[in-house]
Amino acid sequence: MSDLPLRPASSEDTDFDPSIASSPCDIAAVPSLLADISFLRASFDVSTNRDARLHLLDKARALVRSLETPRETMLKHVGAETACFFSLALGVDVGLFTALAKGDTPKSVNELAGTIGFDVDGLSRILRHLAAMGYIVQTGKDEYKSNNFSKAMTIPIVADGYPFYRSVCIAPMLHLHKWLATKDYATPTTGRDNPFTFGNQTSQTMFEYLAAFPPFNEQFNHHMGGYRLGRPSWFDPAVYPVSDALLGNDIKADDVLLVDIGGNMGHDLTRFRAAFPDAPGRLILQDQASVIEAGPAKALAEQGIEGMPHDFFTEQPVRGARAYYLHHILHDWPDDKCEVIVKMIKSAMVPGKSKLLINEHVIPSVGASWEATYLDLYMMILFGSRERTEQDWKGLLEGKCGLKITRIYNPGNGVEGIIECEVPV
Ligand SMILES: C[S@@+](CC[C@H](N)C(=O)[O-])C[C@H]1O[C@@H](n2cnc3c(N)ncnc32)[C@H](O)[C@@H]1O
């Protein structure tokens, strides 16, 4: 199928004067946004208070959107940000950000081009755009230095999201319109026929594809680490009361306290161990064999975390644990597959003792956060799955799986809540 426009361009099907596109999007909102920002600045220490910083950021984003004209927003979307994204991914490939950050000194384009083996003209144009967009700093003619953003791009768990999205996730997004057109605009609902399989020309699901291409798997695993950076953990007292809900004298050293199913490289269990060094019982990390074998087994073992290859579509080998934990697992799968995953866990749970803790977004019906809505769209195109609302979770976990949701712990705006379930006694 060609990529010609599905709808011919026409300038006659609008009720609006073109001048709307060159006027600020919402100039009337600017005074009150400025007042809000000034108030927040005076009231909070935004450098140490995460919620205050996020609140201020929301207002600052709203201010930018209000001041920008539709034309400026359009150019930013279609050109400036896409050029940035692909330049950043390319920069990661060739080691640009490591070379730029070395010694924390300004570097000439010639010097950088020599270090990374790049054409001077092409590099100078890439650097000029990244500086114009604020992702590096221009210090003089043909001279640049790092800022905190580009220094962070030397850290693999931050940087690898760029080549990962470019090489694995963008083709599905690029082909979304074509896939939808061939399906009469039906929403994808399976892992085997969706924009991911279409865009990447594969019959494999995304996780099969990653297992077949270890460099992509490594980028994905790094991205999982970067995704959670700086976020409150599920065991933060403001999110879930671990001490009251899970820990107790009844747990012996040989009992299993927590099984992190699909726990990837152990990002969550490592942090849990650091937060609760004296928690009784065993901590078990389960994931696909390819992930467990590539993971940091020695470091995990030193922290008392046991790695265990396990396919979560098969019988759960750890019976009667205090808690089974799923973080961003069920959002990868449509309901019929989630039902299998959850029922495998349910049959290993002991009523009155075991809990299933699901760490996922619980999308509110109004005012969803972009952190949940962007992932929902990627879940749709990569897996034919979704981020879920409270109603969706009830339908799946209680309606289809026969569990009881004992409580939903929502740390705010539906981002990364804990859905606590038990087997009805
Ligand atoms: C979105 S990641 C979430 C990882 C981790 N829980 C976290 O929050 O960082 C999904 C994980 O599911 C794992 N996975 C996919 N299919 C699996 C299967 N059939 N059995 C076990 N793990 C699987 C992947 O390897 C990956 O680590």
Side-chain angles (χ1 to χ4, degrees), residues 258-281:
L258 192 55
V259 189
D260 185 354
I261 304 166
N264 198 250
M265 312 295 274
H267 318 285
D268 274 327
L269 279 184
T270 310
R271 289 165 75 174
F272 180 87
R273 174 57 87 205
F276 296 93
D278 301 324

Side-chain angles (χ1 to χ4, degrees), residues 205-208 210 217 220-221 223-225 227-228 260-268 285-292 309-314 325-329 331-333 341 359 379 383 416:
T205 65
M206 180 161 129
F207 287 117
E208 291 166 353
L210 295 186
N217 211 13
F220 171 75
N221 294 339
H223 179 55
M224 285 292 92
Y227 172 85
R228 74 194 50 244
D260 185 354
I261 304 166
N264 198 250
M265 312 295 274
H267 318 285
D268 274 327
L285 171 69
Q286 294 180 337
D287 207 295
Q288 303 176 97
S290 59
V291 175
I292 295 291
H310 169 60
D311 176 352
F312 49 47
F313 289 109
T314 63
Y325 171 78
L326 293 170
H327 187 190
H328 280 331
I329 299 300
H331 78 163
D332 293 339
W333 302 92
I341 297 171
N359 191 187
M379 292 306 108
F383 300 104
E416 304 245 352

